C-alpha cells in the first residue's frame, strides 16, 4: 500500500508531464485512444467523486468565516474568465466551434489542481478549497447561463441540457463522495492517499480521447487554439492577482485568487463540449488542461519567492489532502 501511495504522490506532482506526454501520444497514435471518447463523462464523474471524498465541514465553514474573500474569488471566477474568453473570440474572429470551446472552458468553475498549486505557491489553501467548492456547486446554474449568454451568437446553446449534464457529472458524484466520506471515514482516508493517481489517470484519458478525436483538425488549427489558450490562461492569472490587490487582500490571498481564477475545470469543459457541441469544441479544454498545469506550476514556483504579508497565517492543509486534477 505504501508503494502505491508513493506512486500516487509522484504522479500527482508530475501531473503536467503526464498530460503532455499522453496528449502527444494521442496525436501521433489516435487510433489507440479514440475508444475512450464514450467514457469521458464517466471519467470526469470519477474525478468529481474523488473531490467529494476530500471535502470536509471545515471547507464549507471557511465560506462563513471569510465570506468576503470567498465572494471575491467566486465573482472573479465567473466574471473574469468568461469575459476574457468572449473578448478573445471577438478580437481574433475565431471560427464558431473553436469560439464556443474557448467560451465553454472560460465559463467552467475552478478545478482542484488550483488547490495544489496554491499550496506550492504558499498561498491561502483553505481559501482556495472554499472557492473551488463554491464555484463547483454553483456550476449547474451559472455555467450553462453564461455559455448561453456569451456563446449563443456562434452556435445554439441548450442551457437546460447542460444543467442536467453538470448535475450528473459534477454535483451527484461530489455528493456521493461526501456521503461516502461521512459513512466510511477511516476507510476513505486510505483511498484519499491514492486519489492523485486515479485523478491523473482519468484526466489524462480525457485529454487523450479529445486529442485523438480531433487529430486532423488540431493539425490545421492547433497553433491558433494554443495561442488563445495561453492568452486566456495568462490574462486570467494576471487579472486574478490584480483583483486581489485592488480589493486590498493580503499577498497570500492575491496568490490564491490568481491561481483560482486562472485555472479551470477543463475536464468539465471537454465533457460538456463533446456532449453538447462537437469534438472540435472540446479541443480548447484539452489544450487548457495541458497548459494550465504547466503555467500553474511555473507561477507557483515564482510565488514561492514572494514573501507573504505578516497577517497571513500558515494554517493551510497539506497538498496531499486534495485530489490533484
Amino acid at each position: 500500500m505504501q508503494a502505491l501511495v508513493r506512486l500516487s504522490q509522484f504522479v500527482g506532482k508530475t501531473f503536467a508531464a503526464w498530460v503532455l506526454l499522453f496528449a502527444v501520444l494521442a496525436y501521433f497514435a489516435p487510433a489507440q485512444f479514440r475508444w475512450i471518447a464514450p467514457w469521458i463523462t464517466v471519467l470526469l464523474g470519477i474525478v468529481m467523486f474523488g473531490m467529494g471524498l476530500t471535502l470536509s465541514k471545515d471547507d464549507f465553514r471557511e465560506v462563513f468565516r471569510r465570506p468576503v474573500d470567498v465572494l471575491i474569488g467566486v465573482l472573479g471566477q465567473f466574471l473574469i474568465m468568461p469575459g476574457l474568453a468572449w473578448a478573445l473570440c471577438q478580437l481574433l474572429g475565431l471560427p464558431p466551434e473553436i469560439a464556443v470551446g474557448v467560451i465553454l472552458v472560460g465559463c467552467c468553475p475552478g478545478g482542484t489542481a488550483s488547490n495544489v498549486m496554491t499550496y506550492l505557491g504558499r498561498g491561502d489553501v483553505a481559501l482556495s478549497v472554499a472557492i473551488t467548492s463554491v464555484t463547483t456547486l454553483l456550476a449547474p446554474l451559472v455555467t450553462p447561463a453564461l455559455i448561453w449568454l456569451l456563446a449563443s451568437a456562434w452556435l445554439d446553446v441548450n442551457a437546460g441540457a447542460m444543467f442536467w449534464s453538470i448535475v450528473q457529472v459534477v454535483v451527484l458524484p461530489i455528493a456521493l463522495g461526501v456521503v461516502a466520506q461521512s459513512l466510511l471515514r477511516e476507510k476513505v482516508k486510505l483511498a484519499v492517499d491514492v486519489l492523485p493517481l486515479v485523478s491523473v489517470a482519468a484526466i489524462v484519458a480525457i485529454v487523450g480521447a479529445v486529442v485523438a478525436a480531433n487529430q486532423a483538425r488540431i493539425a490545421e488549427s492547433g497553433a491558433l487554439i494554443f495561442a488563445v489558450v495561453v492568452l486566456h490562461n495568462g490574462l486570467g492569472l494576471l487579472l486574478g492577482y490584480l483583483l486581489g490587490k485592488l480589493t486590498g487582500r493580503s499577498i497570500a490571498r492575491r496568490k490564491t485568487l490568481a491561481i483560482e481564477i486562472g485555472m479551470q475545470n477543463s475536464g468539465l469543459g471537454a465533457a460538456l463540449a463533446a456532449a453538447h457541441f462537437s469534438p472540435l469544441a472540446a479541443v480548447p479544454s484539452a489544450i487548457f488542461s495541458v497548459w494550465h498545469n504547466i503555467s500553474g506550476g511555473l507561477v507557483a514556483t515564482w510565488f514561492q519567492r514572494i514573501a507573504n504579508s505578516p497577517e497571513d497565517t500558515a494554517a493551510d492543509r497539506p497538498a496531499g489532502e486534495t485530489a490533484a486534477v
Side-chain angles (χ1 to χ4, degrees):
M1 185 64 186
Q2 288 301 316
L4 188 61
V5 170
R6 285 195 294 270
L7 174 63
S8 180
Q9 291 172 345
F10 169 75
V11 170
K13 291 176 182 177
T14 56
F15 175 46
W18 293 109
V19 176
L20 180 60
L21 171 63
F22 279 88
V24 172
L25 289 175
Y27 181 83
F28 288 104
Q32 307 305 315
F33 291 85
R34 289 196 183 106
W35 64 272
I36 303 173
W39 299 93
I40 287 178
T41 55
V42 175
L43 290 167
L44 181 61
I46 291 171
V47 174
M48 293 296 102
F49 177 77
M51 179 181 176
L53 289 178
T54 66
L55 292 177
S56 68
K57 293 178 181 177
D58 290 338
D59 298 329
F60 295 100
R61 194 173 292 127
E62 201 70 20
V63 176
F64 300 101
R65 193 169 74 84
R66 293 189 288 172
V68 175
D69 288 339
V70 175
L71 180 62
I72 290 170
V74 172
L75 290 176
Q77 177 74 65
F78 285 131
L79 291 175
I80 289 175
M81 292 304 277
L84 282 174
W86 181 85
L88 288 170
C89 292
Q90 292 285 354
L91 289 171
L92 299 175
L94 297 181
E97 288 177 300
I98 296 175
V100 168
V102 172
I103 289 173
L104 201 157
V105 74
C107 296
C108 284
T112 54
S114 61
N115 308 150
V116 179
M117 297 303 177
T118 298
Y119 171 79
L120 296 175
R122 297 174 185 168
D124 189 328
V125 178
L127 176 61
S128 176
V129 173
I131 294 171
T132 298
S133 302
V134 173
T135 56
T136 299
L137 293 176
L138 289 175
L141 292 174
V142 178
T143 296
L146 286 172
I147 294 170
W148 176 82
L149 179 67
L150 300 176
S152 54
W154 282 275
L155 293 174
D156 290 334
V157 176
N158 188 334
M162 249 185 286
F163 164 81
W164 181 235
S165 290
I166 297 174
V167 169
Q168 288 179 303
V169 302
V170 176
V171 177
L172 289 180
I174 288 176
L176 289 173
V178 171
V179 171
Q181 182 200 84
S182 64
L183 294 177
L184 302 177
R185 296 185 183 277
E186 294 302 319
K187 294 180 181 179
V188 165
K189 288 182 180 179
L190 295 175
V192 167
D193 290 335
V194 297
L195 274 179
L197 179 60
V198 176
S199 299
V200 169
I203 294 296
V204 162
I206 291 172
V207 171
V210 172
V211 171
N214 293 278
Q215 191 266 356
R217 292 182 176 181
I218 291 173
E220 294 175 6
S221 54
L224 172 63
I225 300 174
F226 182 77
V228 174
V229 165
V230 171
L231 276 172
H232 191 199
N233 171 242
L235 289 171
L237 291 166
L238 175 62
L239 292 178
Y241 191 89
L242 291 177
L243 175 65
K245 188 172 183 178
L246 290 172
T247 54
R249 302 303 99 185
S250 66
I251 291 176
R253 294 174 190 182
R254 294 177 200 174
K255 296 176 182 179
T256 301
L257 290 171
I259 293 171
E260 272 300 310
I261 290 169
M263 298 184 70
Q264 303 293 90
N265 188 339
S266 47
L268 175 60
L272 291 176
H276 298 283
F277 296 104
S278 68
L280 182 58
V283 173
S285 291
I287 294 177
F288 203 103
S289 186
V290 177
W291 176 251
H292 81 156
N293 283 285
I294 296 172
S295 65
L298 293 172
V299 168
T301 301
W302 179 50
F303 279 167
Q304 288 175 3
R305 303 177 183 178
I306 301 176
N308 288 338
S309 308
E311 66 266 32
D312 291 320
T313 65
D316 287 337
R317 68 175 61 202
E321 290 185 18
T322 57
V325 297

Coordinates of all heavy atoms in Angstrom, one line a residue, residues 195-248:
L195 N -5.8 9.0 -4.4 CA -6.6 9.8 -5.3 C -5.9 10.5 -6.4 O -6.3 10.6 -7.5 CB -7.5 10.8 -4.5 CG -8.8 10.3 -3.9 CD1 -9.5 11.4 -3.2 CD2 -9.7 9.8 -5.0
P196 N -4.7 11.1 -6.1 CA -4.0 11.8 -7.2 C -3.7 10.8 -8.4 O -3.8 11.2 -9.5 CB -2.6 12.2 -6.5 CG -3.0 12.4 -5.1 CD -4.0 11.3 -4.8
L197 N -3.4 9.6 -8.1 CA -3.1 8.6 -9.2 C -4.4 8.4 -10.0 O -4.4 8.4 -11.2 CB -2.7 7.3 -8.6 CG -2.4 6.1 -9.6 CD1 -1.3 6.5 -10.5 CD2 -2.0 4.8 -8.8
V198 N -5.5 8.2 -9.3 CA -6.8 8.0 -10.0 C -7.2 9.2 -10.8 O -7.6 9.1 -12.0 CB -7.9 7.6 -9.0 CG1 -9.3 7.5 -9.7 CG2 -7.6 6.3 -8.3
S199 N -7.1 10.4 -10.2 CA -7.5 11.6 -10.9 C -6.6 11.9 -12.1 O -7.1 12.3 -13.1 CB -7.4 12.8 -9.9 OG -8.2 12.6 -8.8
V200 N -5.3 11.7 -11.9 CA -4.4 12.0 -13.1 C -4.7 11.0 -14.2 O -4.8 11.4 -15.4 CB -2.9 11.8 -12.6 CG1 -2.0 11.8 -13.9 CG2 -2.5 13.0 -11.7
A201 N -4.9 9.8 -13.9 CA -5.2 8.8 -14.9 C -6.5 9.2 -15.7 O -6.6 9.1 -16.9 CB -5.4 7.4 -14.3
A202 N -7.5 9.6 -15.0 CA -8.8 10.0 -15.6 C -8.7 11.2 -16.5 O -9.2 11.2 -17.6 CB -9.8 10.2 -14.5
I203 N -8.0 12.3 -16.0 CA -7.8 13.5 -16.8 C -6.9 13.2 -18.0 O -7.2 13.7 -19.1 CB -7.2 14.6 -15.9 CG1 -8.2 15.0 -14.9 CG2 -6.9 15.8 -16.8 CD1 -9.5 15.6 -15.4
V204 N -5.9 12.4 -17.8 CA -5.0 12.1 -19.0 C -5.8 11.3 -20.0 O -5.7 11.6 -21.2 CB -3.8 11.2 -18.5 CG1 -3.2 10.4 -19.6 CG2 -2.8 12.1 -17.8
A205 N -6.7 10.4 -19.6 CA -7.5 9.7 -20.5 C -8.5 10.6 -21.3 O -8.7 10.5 -22.5 CB -8.3 8.6 -19.8
I206 N -9.1 11.6 -20.6 CA -10.0 12.5 -21.2 C -9.2 13.4 -22.3 O -9.7 13.5 -23.4 CB -10.6 13.5 -20.1 CG1 -11.6 12.7 -19.3 CG2 -11.4 14.6 -20.8 CD1 -12.1 13.5 -18.1
V207 N -8.1 13.9 -21.9 CA -7.3 14.7 -22.8 C -6.9 13.8 -24.0 O -7.0 14.3 -25.2 CB -6.0 15.2 -22.1 CG1 -5.1 15.9 -23.2 CG2 -6.4 16.3 -21.1
G208 N -6.4 12.6 -23.8 CA -6.1 11.7 -24.9 C -7.2 11.5 -25.8 O -7.0 11.5 -27.1
A209 N -8.4 11.2 -25.3 CA -9.6 11.0 -26.1 C -9.9 12.2 -27.0 O -10.2 12.0 -28.2 CB -10.8 10.6 -25.2
V210 N -9.9 13.4 -26.4 CA -10.2 14.6 -27.2 C -9.2 14.8 -28.3 O -9.6 15.2 -29.4 CB -10.3 15.8 -26.2 CG1 -10.5 17.1 -27.0 CG2 -11.5 15.6 -25.3
V211 N -7.9 14.7 -27.9 CA -6.9 14.9 -28.9 C -7.0 13.9 -30.1 O -6.9 14.3 -31.2 CB -5.5 14.9 -28.3 CG1 -4.4 14.9 -29.3 CG2 -5.3 16.0 -27.3
A212 N -7.2 12.7 -29.7 CA -7.3 11.6 -30.7 C -8.5 11.9 -31.7 O -8.4 11.7 -32.9 CB -7.4 10.2 -30.1
A213 N -9.6 12.3 -31.1 CA -10.8 12.5 -31.9 C -10.6 13.7 -32.9 O -11.4 13.8 -33.9 CB -12.0 12.7 -31.0
N214 N -9.7 14.6 -32.6 CA -9.6 15.8 -33.4 C -8.2 16.0 -34.0 O -7.7 17.1 -34.3 CB -9.8 17.0 -32.5 CG -11.3 17.1 -32.0 OD1 -12.1 17.6 -32.8 ND2 -11.5 16.6 -30.8
Q215 N -7.5 14.9 -34.2 CA -6.1 14.9 -34.6 C -5.9 15.7 -35.9 O -5.0 16.6 -36.0 CB -5.5 13.5 -34.8 CG -4.0 13.4 -35.0 CD -3.6 13.4 -36.5 OE1 -4.5 13.4 -37.4 NE2 -2.3 13.5 -36.7
A216 N -6.8 15.5 -36.9 CA -6.7 16.2 -38.2 C -6.9 17.7 -38.0 O -6.2 18.5 -38.6 CB -7.6 15.6 -39.2
R217 N -7.9 18.0 -37.2 CA -8.3 19.4 -37.0 C -7.3 20.2 -36.2 O -7.0 21.4 -36.4 CB -9.7 19.6 -36.4 CG -10.8 19.1 -37.3 CD -12.1 19.3 -36.7 NE -13.2 18.9 -37.6 CZ -14.5 19.0 -37.4 NH1 -14.9 19.4 -36.2 NH2 -15.4 18.7 -38.3
I218 N -6.7 19.5 -35.2 CA -5.6 20.1 -34.4 C -4.4 20.4 -35.3 O -3.7 21.4 -35.2 CB -5.2 19.2 -33.3 CG1 -6.3 19.1 -32.2 CG2 -3.9 19.7 -32.6 CD1 -6.1 18.1 -31.1
A219 N -4.1 19.5 -36.3 CA -3.0 19.8 -37.2 C -3.3 21.1 -38.0 O -2.4 21.8 -38.4 CB -2.9 18.6 -38.2
E220 N -4.6 21.4 -38.3 CA -4.9 22.6 -39.1 C -4.9 23.8 -38.2 O -4.4 24.9 -38.6 CB -6.3 22.4 -39.7 CG -6.4 21.3 -40.8 CD -7.8 21.1 -41.3 OE1 -8.7 21.8 -40.9 OE2 -8.0 20.1 -42.0
S221 N -5.5 23.7 -37.1 CA -5.8 25.0 -36.3 C -5.2 24.9 -34.8 O -5.6 25.7 -34.0 CB -7.3 25.3 -36.2 OG -8.0 24.2 -35.8
G222 N -4.4 23.9 -34.6 CA -3.9 23.7 -33.2 C -3.1 24.9 -32.7 O -3.2 25.3 -31.5
A223 N -2.3 25.5 -33.6 CA -1.5 26.6 -33.2 C -2.3 27.8 -32.7 O -2.0 28.5 -31.7 CB -0.5 27.0 -34.3
L224 N -3.4 28.1 -33.5 CA -4.3 29.1 -33.1 C -5.0 28.9 -31.8 O -5.0 29.8 -30.9 CB -5.4 29.3 -34.2 CG -6.5 30.3 -33.9 CD1 -6.0 31.7 -33.7 CD2 -7.6 30.2 -35.0
I225 N -5.5 27.7 -31.6 CA -6.1 27.3 -30.3 C -5.2 27.4 -29.1 O -5.5 28.0 -28.1 CB -6.8 25.9 -30.4 CG1 -7.8 25.8 -31.5 CG2 -7.4 25.6 -29.0 CD1 -8.3 24.4 -31.7
F226 N -3.9 26.9 -29.4 CA -2.9 27.0 -28.3 C -2.6 28.5 -27.9 O -2.5 28.8 -26.7 CB -1.6 26.3 -28.8 CG -0.6 26.3 -27.7 CD1 -0.6 25.4 -26.6 CD2 0.5 27.2 -27.8 CE1 0.4 25.4 -25.7 CE2 1.5 27.2 -26.8 CZ 1.4 26.3 -25.8
A227 N -2.5 29.3 -28.9 CA -2.2 30.7 -28.6 C -3.4 31.4 -27.8 O -3.1 32.1 -26.9 CB -2.0 31.5 -30.0
V228 N -4.6 31.1 -28.2 CA -5.8 31.6 -27.5 C -5.8 31.1 -26.0 O -6.0 31.8 -25.1 CB -7.1 31.2 -28.2 CG1 -8.3 31.7 -27.3 CG2 -7.2 31.9 -29.6
V229 N -5.5 29.8 -25.8 CA -5.5 29.2 -24.5 C -4.4 29.9 -23.6 O -4.7 30.2 -22.5 CB -5.3 27.7 -24.6 CG1 -4.9 27.1 -23.2 CG2 -6.5 27.0 -25.1
V230 N -3.2 30.1 -24.2 CA -2.1 30.7 -23.4 C -2.5 32.1 -23.0 O -2.3 32.5 -21.9 CB -0.8 30.7 -24.3 CG1 0.2 31.5 -23.6 CG2 -0.3 29.2 -24.4
L231 N -3.1 32.9 -24.0 CA -3.5 34.2 -23.7 C -4.6 34.2 -22.6 O -4.6 35.0 -21.6 CB -4.1 34.9 -24.9 CG -3.1 35.6 -25.9 CD1 -3.8 36.0 -27.1 CD2 -2.4 36.8 -25.2
H232 N -5.6 33.4 -22.7 CA -6.7 33.3 -21.8 C -6.2 32.9 -20.4 O -6.6 33.6 -19.4 CB -7.7 32.2 -22.3 CG -9.0 32.2 -21.6 ND1 -9.8 31.1 -21.6 CD2 -9.6 33.1 -20.8 CE1 -10.9 31.3 -20.9 NE2 -10.8 32.5 -20.5
N233 N -5.4 31.9 -20.3 CA -4.9 31.5 -19.0 C -4.0 32.5 -18.4 O -4.1 32.9 -17.2 CB -4.2 30.2 -19.2 CG -3.4 29.7 -18.0 OD1 -2.2 29.6 -18.0 ND2 -4.1 29.5 -16.9
G234 N -3.1 33.1 -19.2 CA -2.1 34.1 -18.7 C -2.8 35.4 -18.2 O -2.5 35.9 -17.1
L235 N -3.8 35.8 -19.0 CA -4.5 37.0 -18.6 C -5.4 36.8 -17.3 O -5.5 37.6 -16.4 CB -5.4 37.5 -19.7 CG -4.7 38.2 -20.9 CD1 -5.6 38.4 -22.1 CD2 -4.0 39.5 -20.5
G236 N -5.9 35.5 -17.2 CA -6.7 35.2 -16.0 C -5.8 35.2 -14.8 O -6.3 35.7 -13.7
L237 N -4.6 34.6 -14.9 CA -3.7 34.6 -13.7 C -3.4 36.1 -13.3 O -3.4 36.4 -12.1 CB -2.4 33.9 -14.1 CG -2.6 32.3 -14.3 CD1 -1.3 31.8 -15.0 CD2 -2.8 31.7 -12.9
L238 N -3.1 36.9 -14.3 CA -2.7 38.3 -14.0 C -3.8 39.1 -13.4 O -3.7 39.7 -12.4 CB -2.2 38.9 -15.3 CG -1.9 40.5 -15.2 CD1 -0.8 40.7 -14.3 CD2 -1.6 41.0 -16.6
L239 N -5.0 39.0 -14.0 CA -6.2 39.7 -13.6 C -6.6 39.2 -12.2 O -7.2 40.0 -11.4 CB -7.3 39.7 -14.6 CG -7.0 40.4 -15.9 CD1 -8.2 40.3 -16.8 CD2 -6.7 41.9 -15.6
G240 N -6.5 37.9 -11.9 CA -6.8 37.4 -10.6 C -6.0 38.0 -9.5 O -6.5 38.4 -8.5
Y241 N -4.7 38.1 -9.8 CA -3.8 38.7 -8.8 C -4.1 40.2 -8.6 O -4.2 40.7 -7.5 CB -2.3 38.6 -9.3 CG -1.3 39.0 -8.2 CD1 -0.9 38.0 -7.3 CD2 -0.8 40.3 -8.1 CE1 0.0 38.3 -6.3 CE2 0.0 40.6 -7.1 CZ 0.5 39.6 -6.2 OH 1.4 40.0 -5.2
L242 N -4.3 40.9 -9.8 CA -4.7 42.3 -9.7 C -6.0 42.6 -8.9 O -6.2 43.5 -8.2 CB -4.8 42.9 -11.1 CG -3.5 43.1 -11.8 CD1 -3.7 43.6 -13.2 CD2 -2.5 44.0 -11.1
L243 N -7.0 41.6 -9.1 CA -8.2 41.7 -8.4 C -8.0 41.7 -6.9 O -8.5 42.4 -6.1 CB -9.2 40.6 -8.8 CG -10.5 40.5 -8.0 CD1 -11.4 41.7 -8.3 CD2 -11.2 39.2 -8.4
G244 N -7.1 40.8 -6.4 CA -6.7 40.7 -5.0 C -6.1 41.9 -4.5 O -6.4 42.4 -3.4
K245 N -5.2 42.5 -5.4 CA -4.6 43.8 -5.0 C -5.5 44.9 -4.9 O -5.5 45.7 -3.9 CB -3.4 44.1 -6.0 CG -2.5 45.3 -5.6 CD -1.4 45.4 -6.5 CE -0.4 46.5 -6.0 NZ 0.8 46.6 -6.9
L246 N -6.4 45.0 -5.9 CA -7.4 46.2 -5.9 C -8.4 46.1 -4.8 O -8.9 47.1 -4.3 CB -8.1 46.2 -7.2 CG -7.3 46.6 -8.5 CD1 -8.1 46.4 -9.7 CD2 -6.9 48.1 -8.4
T247 N -8.7 44.9 -4.3 CA -9.6 44.7 -3.2 C -9.0 44.6 -1.8 O -9.6 44.3 -0.8 CB -10.5 43.4 -3.4 OG1 -9.6 42.3 -3.6 CG2 -11.4 43.6 -4.6
G248 N -7.7 44.9 -1.8 CA -7.0 45.0 -0.5 C -6.7 43.7 0.2 O -6.5 43.6 1.4

